[in-house]
Amino acid sequence: MISLLNYLLISESDRRGIYIQMYKKSSCFKYIFLSLLSTTLAVSSNSIQIEAKSIPREKIFRGENYGRLTNQGKLRTYYMYTPKSYNPKHAMSLVLMFHGDNGSGNSIAKISRFNNLAEVFGFIAVYPNGLDHQWSFTGHVKQKVDDISFVAALIGHIEQIRNINTRKIYATGFSQGGILTQALACKLPNKIAAFASVAGSLSARFARSCQPTVSISMMMINGTNDLSVHYHGDPITQKEALVSIPETINFWRRHDQCTSSSQSQHLAPTKSHNHLGVKTFRYSGCRNGSEVLQFAVVNGGHFWPGGASTDPKLNRLNIQLGFNASKAIWSFFQHHSLSTFKAVTIKKAKR
């Protein structure tokens, strides 16, 4: 009789041959044959089931997902949308979207409707959550974290779980998230290809120390009657003062050494008592293909133009305005990517 060790080492086809020979020679082996055969089939069946469970399901890669990571000793969370066209074998662009004060990743996703654009144009959208629904640039008062370091860690984390085109990572944000976006342009210009702030500006404190060694593609959208982020800036003595919108635009324009500019005005398609409109200021001829673009929403307040809202008054205003910030931002991003040219150190521009 064949030993148990040899039996385990031989192939499946050889086992079947042994079963048949044993079955033919003696009826006493019939019981053994049937028992071994049923055991083999059971083991094979279990192996198939285990193998099937180990195959990752495609649906976990697409649609809405929630993720987490630990950074600076704190658990951080984010909301993410991956379009149906995502293929792990092909790198996709990444858009980071930062919510405003007391907001969340989910709330800014609903307002901006960037998921719709991600699905249509094929990019991954990530909406991080600030601790206590706020962002900090030099250390959170309560949590003692630096959100700029967190964003750098988040980018590395997303690159591990999705195939990201590292030359096409973008940052945008609303209100305090827009202020964070401006700060990221100062601190992470080698990781992010272009920036767009909505109802945000550059912190006066950051303006004094902001000296990125690469050119910056920056887009800004601001209402001229914004009562939260003042279009004409804050008194310099005010805590966490913000630079005026025109000054911030000039800051980036000088930094990029732009040589030409153009201006156009878009009037609201429908008549309104508040005389809404959008003025566009475009600065081109900038170093290394960078660009500075401003949309000034005339008589506009603190809001995301063209965004979703449960406020009927704001919805009517958006209809009157006829301008979609999200579409304008993605159009801007599509024209810019990190390159070897952008990595060239630029001369310090006069402020």
Side-chain angles (χ1 to χ4, degrees), residues 280-301:
T280 305
F281 303 88
R282 186 184 302 273
Y283 300 90
S284 56
C286 311
R287 182 147 183 153
N288 299 328
S290 59
E291 181 185 13
V292 178
L293 180 61
Q294 179 195 3
F295 290 99
V297 182
V298 180
N299 294 321

Side-chain angles (χ1 to χ4, degrees), residues 66-240:
Y66 295 87
R68 60 181 62 187
L69 70 154
T70 300
N71 178 255
Q72 302 171 64
K74 302 293 182 180
L75 179 64
R76 306 302 300 265
T77 60
Y78 60 88
Y79 164 63
M80 176 169 62
Y81 186 83
T82 307
K84 296 183 181 67
S85 58
Y86 173 71
N87 184 338
K89 295 181 181 180
H90 302 290
M92 262 192 175
S93 301
L94 169 65
V95 174
L96 301 172
M97 168 81 70
F98 302 98
H99 62 75
D101 193 17
N102 293 320
S104 68
N106 283 92
S107 66
I108 193 62
K110 292 177 181 177
I111 292 171
S112 66
R113 293 186 276 209
F114 244 86
N115 287 356
N116 295 342
L117 294 176
E119 190 61 53
V120 173
F121 294 100
F123 62 86
I124 294 170
V126 172
Y127 310 83
N129 294 307
L131 291 175
D132 297 332
H133 305 283
Q134 295 179 335
W135 300 110
S136 173
F137 316 131
T138 56
H140 196 283
V141 176
K142 295 181 180 179
Q143 301 288 356
K144 297 182 180 179
V145 297
D146 177 6
D147 277 323
I148 292 176
S149 296
F150 161 61
V151 173
L154 175 64
I155 291 173
H157 169 76
I158 299 298
E159 289 174 350
Q160 291 179 346
I161 62 174
R162 294 290 186 274
N163 190 352
I164 300 299
N165 185 338
T166 56
R167 295 178 61 245
K168 295 184 177 182
I169 298 175
Y170 309 102
T172 183
F174 173 69
S175 191
Q176 193 184 50
I179 299 171
L180 174 59
T181 299
Q182 293 279 334
L184 291 172
C186 297
K187 298 297 185 180
L188 298 180
N190 290 307
K191 289 183 176 291
I192 301 174
F195 306 82
S197 63
V198 179
S201 187
L202 183 63
S203 163
R205 176 167 50 83
F206 262 90
R208 290 190 291 269
S209 60
C210 183
Q211 297 180 0
T213 57
V214 298
S215 52
I216 301 295
S217 290
M218 175 64 71
M219 173 179 169
M220 296 181 67
I221 301 174
N222 295 84
T224 60
N225 285 348
D226 191 332
L227 299 180
S228 297
V229 176
H230 302 123
Y231 192 84
H232 295 292
D234 299 320
I236 195 65
T237 56
Q238 179 179 313
K239 184 179 179 181
E240 300 299 330

Side-chain angles (χ1 to χ4, degrees), residues 315-337:
N315 286 330
R316 287 194 298 271
L317 183 147
N318 274 318
I319 292 173
Q320 293 172 4
L321 185 62
F323 173 70
N324 189 297
S326 298
K327 290 181 179 179
I329 289 170
W330 176 244
S331 176
F332 177 74
F333 285 166
Q334 286 182 291
H335 290 93
H336 301 284
S337 63

Side-chain angles (χ1 to χ4, degrees), residues 240-259:
E240 300 299 330
L242 298 176
V243 177
S244 74
I245 307 310
E247 284 183 81
T248 303
I249 288 294
N250 286 334
F251 177 93
W252 294 118
R253 178 180 60 80
R254 290 193 298 267
H255 172 80
D256 291 340
Q257 301 173 16
C258 303
T259 59

